Amino acid sequence: MDARPPSSDSSPWLPFESRRRARDEKRDAVLRTAVQLFLEQGYHRATLNEVAERLNITKPALYNYFRSKEEILFECWAVGQERVDGFIAGINARGGTGLVKLRQLVHAYAENMATDHGASLVRFDQRDLSEKNRKIVRAGKKSIDRTFRKYIADGIADGSIKPCDPKMTAFAIAGSLNWIGHWFQPDGAMSATAIADEFTDRLTEGLAARPLKKTASAVAKKKPSREGIR
Amino acid sequence: MDARPPSSDSSPWLPFESRRRARDEKRDAVLRTAVQLFLEQGYHRATLNEVAERLNITKPALYNYFRSKEEILFECWAVGQERVDGFIAGINARGGTGLVKLRQLVHAYAENMATDHGASLVRFDQRDLSEKNRKIVRAGKKSIDRTFRKYIADGIADGSIKPCDPKMTAFAIAGSLNWIGHWFQPDGAMSATAIADEFTDRLTEGLAARPLKKTASAVAKKKPSREGIR
DNA sequence: ACTTTATCTTTCCGACGGGTAATATACGTC
DNA sequence: GACGTATATTACCCGTCGGAAAGATAAAGT
């Protein structure tokens, strides 16, 4: 419609210039733009026309990479889920007490929640998906929930965590973390890492069987870093 | 379309029977049905036709009580907000230490979150509202957030709560509570009151400056009741 | 009984947006 | 240089749903 200046964000389709690029790169660009727009406006208000417009292409061109709007939504979610699955695998691989694993999970999950694809895990509505994809999403959520509960149960078993109801505790912790996806703003006062540090301490301090050696972020606020959570 | 049996839930419009009732009663019935349907299917997927159908009337009849779908959405939200404003006023009137007030707020807020109108506070999307109504909603959310922060700050000032960042602490607590609106099922294993009891202890135990006299729900799980939170 | 008023129904419209069909353009390959 | 394939565009279809217009019905007042 209107003559827009080339969009400022990076799009592989610079208007009428070298067009040919790797297919996957373009697919990813669609997902990045879509997740951003879906979060910004909500899935239903966001139109494929606008997704396309931001990429300097037209709506039907999107159908070279996706079969439907719903598939785009699902793939946005899948990226976030894969990341979570990834760092959970890492935590499992490194091992440790239940408390240590829980703290790592909280930290990584909080940081993820501050990204677009992470927030999409909680801000998108399952009911917008096909039955098939909805099943996959439910399985993913269930898996994350099981992991939280397992680390808590592990911690109770190995004595690092005070006895409590793993289910309710997991709900309480996951609730706090998921909520980050609703209020976090990249340009806000606190960085994602700072928030993750803060939440890691706050959400687990009440659980530790014995007072834990204070982490960097809790006492000497000198260098908030991922190392602080070990 | 299809000949449905008279809906099982209570509707003031029983098909073709005594029609005249108080206007407000009908308006409320619309809101009850609408909030239920909106939560069930999501605002965009829910149609006014279906709202009307559940009430044994037709879509245009709704326009006797509301000017638009958006107005219905807003009013659903307003009911939940008024309840929160109500019990906050009660807590303020009764007074007490910051910790005591915070615990009452957590308990009441958790219980409210387990109701339809309560859940609508967090499950509806502001962006579906007109600019005017969105402003009102934002003010309401802001007010609740301020209350959480104030009680925490009060508690720090009067020594009942350990020093902490009121903003982050409020976010963490409110996140846990708001999340209830996403997972609570009336027919689930725990009652709303039981959940409220549980969350009241779990979310504030880490904050108390000195170990608080254990409440009924925390140790002797004999009678979970509202009195336990004083 | 006749009118008035509120309420409800039948019928329809118009906008919006996802998705498709037909077509054009450019690149790699022979 | 011609051809095939991938990728893009223009133009269009069509279902859905919020909302309006206009007509019907019943209770209430005179």
Side-chain angles (χ1 to χ4, degrees):
Chain A
M1 281 293 179
D2 52 350
R4 285 168 61 262
S7 74
S8 56
D9 53 63
S10 65
S11 159
W13 296 270
L14 296 180
F16 271 73
E17 124 182 6
S18 71
R19 254 180 190 169
R20 180 64 53 120
R21 291 235 195 160
R23 186 181 173 83
D24 287 351
E25 187 177 345
K26 293 193 194 168
R27 217 184 121 98
D28 280 356
V30 172
L31 287 184
R32 276 200 311 275
T33 302
V35 73
Q36 212 173 314
L37 194 69
F38 289 171
L39 289 175
E40 213 172 278
Q41 313 199 345
Y43 177 68
H44 285 97
R45 274 172 300 277
T47 69
L48 291 184
N49 265 325
E50 197 168 348
V51 173
E53 199 179 322
R54 289 198 181 184
L55 290 163
N56 299 312
I57 55 176
T58 58
K59 178 177 61 172
L62 296 173
Y63 284 79
N64 283 313
Y65 306 98
F66 300 94
R67 278 194 297 272
S68 67
K69 190 186 185 187
E70 185 258 330
E71 185 176 290
I72 296 178
L73 181 69
F74 174 73
E75 294 293 340
C76 287
W77 170 87
V79 171
Q81 179 71 31
E82 276 162 22
R83 287 195 202 149
V84 176
D85 291 342
F87 62 66
I88 285 179
I91 294 171
N92 284 333
R94 285 193 296 276
T97 68
L99 181 60
V100 164
K101 288 189 291 183
L102 179 63
R103 285 171 61 83
Q104 287 178 37
L105 178 58
V106 168
H107 198 275
Y109 196 84
E111 278 191 320
N112 185 239
M113 215 28 80
T115 68
D116 281 349
H117 284 291
S120 72
L121 292 183
V122 296
R123 298 209 11 216
F124 292 163
D125 191 334
Q126 295 185 26
R127 293 167 299 190
D128 288 318
L129 297 171
S130 68
E131 187 54 44
K132 183 169 140 287
N133 285 336
R134 189 161 51 231
K135 252 177 156 160
I136 300 176
V137 167
R138 269 200 298 262
K141 287 185 189 299
K142 184 80 193 161
S143 158
I144 293 174
D145 183 43
R146 263 201 311 266
T147 304
F148 270 103
R149 295 192 198 187
K150 180 170 185 312
Y151 289 170
I152 294 168
D154 286 353
I156 296 172
D158 66 31
S160 60
I161 292 179
K162 281 192 290 199
C164 64
D165 176 16
K167 180 178 164 182
M168 278 299 131
T169 307
F171 273 153
I173 292 176
S176 277
L177 293 174
N178 287 334
W179 204 245
I180 294 174
H182 283 91
W183 57 260
F184 177 75
Q185 301 285 357
D187 52 354
M190 289 184 80
S191 71
T193 306
I195 289 168
D197 288 346
E198 178 84 18
F199 272 65
T200 301
D201 283 342
R202 193 164 308 270
L203 296 180
T204 62
E205 69 189 349
L207 296 176
R210 52 194 63 217
L212 39 88
K213 355 182 245 306
K214 293 295 181 185
T215 67
S217 65
V219 275
K221 216 169 223 171
K222 52 179 179 183
K223 194 195 272 188
S225 87
R226 272 197 103 254
E227 310 312 316
I229 68 172
R230 302 292 164 102
Chain B
M1 278 292 183
D2 51 350
R4 285 167 60 264
S7 74
S8 55
D9 53 65
S10 64
S11 161
W13 297 269
L14 295 179
F16 271 72
E17 122 182 8
S18 71
R19 254 182 191 167
R20 179 64 51 121
R21 292 231 194 161
R23 184 181 174 81
D24 287 350
E25 188 177 343
K26 294 194 195 169
R27 216 185 120 98
D28 279 356
V30 173
L31 288 184
R32 275 200 311 275
T33 302
V35 73
Q36 213 173 314
L37 194 69
F38 289 173
L39 289 175
E40 216 171 275
Q41 313 198 345
Y43 177 68
H44 285 98
R45 273 171 301 277
T47 69
L48 291 184
N49 264 324
E50 196 168 348
V51 173
E53 200 179 323
R54 289 197 182 186
L55 290 164
N56 299 312
I57 55 175
T58 58
K59 179 178 62 174
L62 296 172
Y63 283 79
N64 282 312
Y65 307 98
F66 299 93
R67 278 194 298 270
S68 66
K69 188 184 185 187
E70 185 260 330
E71 185 176 291
I72 296 177
L73 181 69
F74 175 72
E75 294 294 340
C76 287
W77 171 88
V79 172
Q81 179 71 31
E82 276 161 24
R83 289 196 201 147
V84 175
D85 291 343
F87 62 67
I88 284 179
I91 294 170
N92 283 333
R94 284 193 297 276
T97 67
L99 182 60
V100 163
K101 288 189 292 184
L102 179 63
R103 284 170 62 83
Q104 288 178 36
L105 177 59
V106 167
H107 197 276
Y109 195 84
E111 277 190 321
N112 185 239
M113 214 27 80
T115 68
D116 281 351
H117 284 292
S120 73
L121 291 182
V122 296
R123 295 202 22 209
F124 292 163
D125 192 334
Q126 295 185 25
R127 293 168 297 190
D128 289 318
L129 297 171
S130 69
E131 186 55 43
K132 183 168 141 287
N133 285 337
R134 190 161 51 230
K135 251 177 157 158
I136 300 175
V137 168
R138 268 201 298 261
K141 287 185 188 297
K142 183 79 194 164
S143 158
I144 294 174
D145 182 44
R146 262 201 311 265
T147 305
F148 271 103
R149 295 191 198 187
K150 180 171 184 314
Y151 289 171
I152 294 168
D154 286 352
I156 296 173
D158 66 30
S160 59
I161 292 179
K162 280 192 292 199
C164 63
D165 176 16
K167 179 177 165 184
M168 279 296 130
T169 306
F171 273 153
I173 292 177
S176 277
L177 294 174
N178 286 334
W179 203 244
I180 294 174
H182 283 91
W183 56 261
F184 177 75
Q185 301 286 356
D187 53 354
M190 291 183 80
S191 72
T193 307
I195 289 168
D197 288 346
E198 177 84 17
F199 271 65
T200 301
D201 284 341
R202 192 165 306 273
L203 296 180
T204 61
E205 69 189 351
L207 296 176
R210 52 194 64 216
L212 36 88
K213 353 183 248 305
K214 290 297 180 186
T215 64
S217 65
V219 276
K221 215 170 227 170
K222 53 179 178 184
K223 193 195 271 187
S225 89
R226 272 199 103 252
E227 308 313 315
I229 68 170
R230 301 295 163 101

